[in-house]
Amino acid sequence: MTRTPLSGVACSIARASDLLGDAWTVLIMRDVLLGIRRFDELAQDLGLSRKVLSARLARLVEEGVLTREQYQASPPREEYVATEKGQELYPVLLALMAWGDKWYAAPAGPPARIRHDACGHVATPVVACDVCQGPLTVADTTQLPGPGGQVGPGTLLLGPLIAARGEQG
């Protein structure tokens, strides 16, 4: 099945989903960010076919999310390392993990926990305001128009809705 590219949609969620909308891609990023960086290890951990893994890794490298770095000269061997762009996906994965822990954890509880090394406490990730540090939820935020907003495929109804909110103040 061929997917419709979302890179042309005037929506940052659509554009990010164009790259990350595949579950394997998200799990590859999880593994790389947590230290599993070699092709064979990724294939083993994920139980993913080499063909699919190779295609996903190539796209992540092409997009500048991962780089390939040599760790052995003879024979030449490479591993995948997250770029700054890739490392900035970590909070996104933590937010997805927190949501999954709340709604899909097994009866025994979540499969992993996060320790905030700065304070030593086990933490629950939250998306927070960068000004006041209050949590951001659908109930207490409003999307306003941005400079790149457009009405078009993927935003035919949403674009005018957001624009109208900007006109209201």
Side-chain angles (χ1 to χ4, degrees):
M1 174 168 65
T2 305
R3 285 185 346 127
T4 302
L6 300 174
S7 57
V9 176
C11 171
S12 297
I13 294 171
R15 292 174 182 165
S17 294
D18 195 47
L19 174 64
L20 300 172
D22 172 84
W24 291 123
T25 302
V26 174
L27 294 175
I28 290 166
M29 286 307 302
R30 175 203 65 188
D31 278 14
V32 169
L33 290 167
L34 295 180
I36 300 173
R37 299 183 178 144
R38 297 178 181 173
F39 186 92
D40 289 338
E41 292 172 345
L42 288 164
Q44 179 183 357
D45 189 56
L46 297 171
L48 183 57
S49 80
R50 297 177 74 78
K51 180 180 176 181
V52 171
L53 178 58
S54 182
R56 299 307 186 275
L57 288 167
R59 174 93 192 274
L60 289 165
V61 169
E62 177 185 315
E63 292 286 336
V65 176
L66 296 176
T67 59
R68 293 166 57 161
E69 294 184 4
Q70 189 173 41
Y71 69 87
Q72 178 179 309
S74 181
R77 302 238 188 246
E78 296 178 321
E79 63 184 3
Y80 294 88
V81 178
T83 62
E84 179 182 0
K85 185 177 181 180
Q87 290 174 14
E88 288 186 5
L89 276 171
Y90 190 63
V92 175
L93 298 180
L94 289 180
L96 189 57
M97 177 182 156
W99 184 81
D101 286 350
K102 179 174 181 176
W103 297 104
Y104 292 102
R113 299 183 307 161
I114 301 299
R115 182 185 63 231
H116 184 220
D117 292 338
C119 71
H121 289 94
V122 172
T124 299
V126 296
V127 177
C129 174
D130 66 331
V131 178
C132 73
Q133 274 59 69
L136 298 175
T137 69
V138 70
D140 61 12
T141 59
T142 301
Q143 291 237 345
L144 301 173
Q150 301 174 16
V151 175
T155 60
L156 288 174
L157 299 177
L158 187 61
L161 178 67
I162 292 173
R165 291 177 180 162
E167 294 167 4
Q168 294 171 2

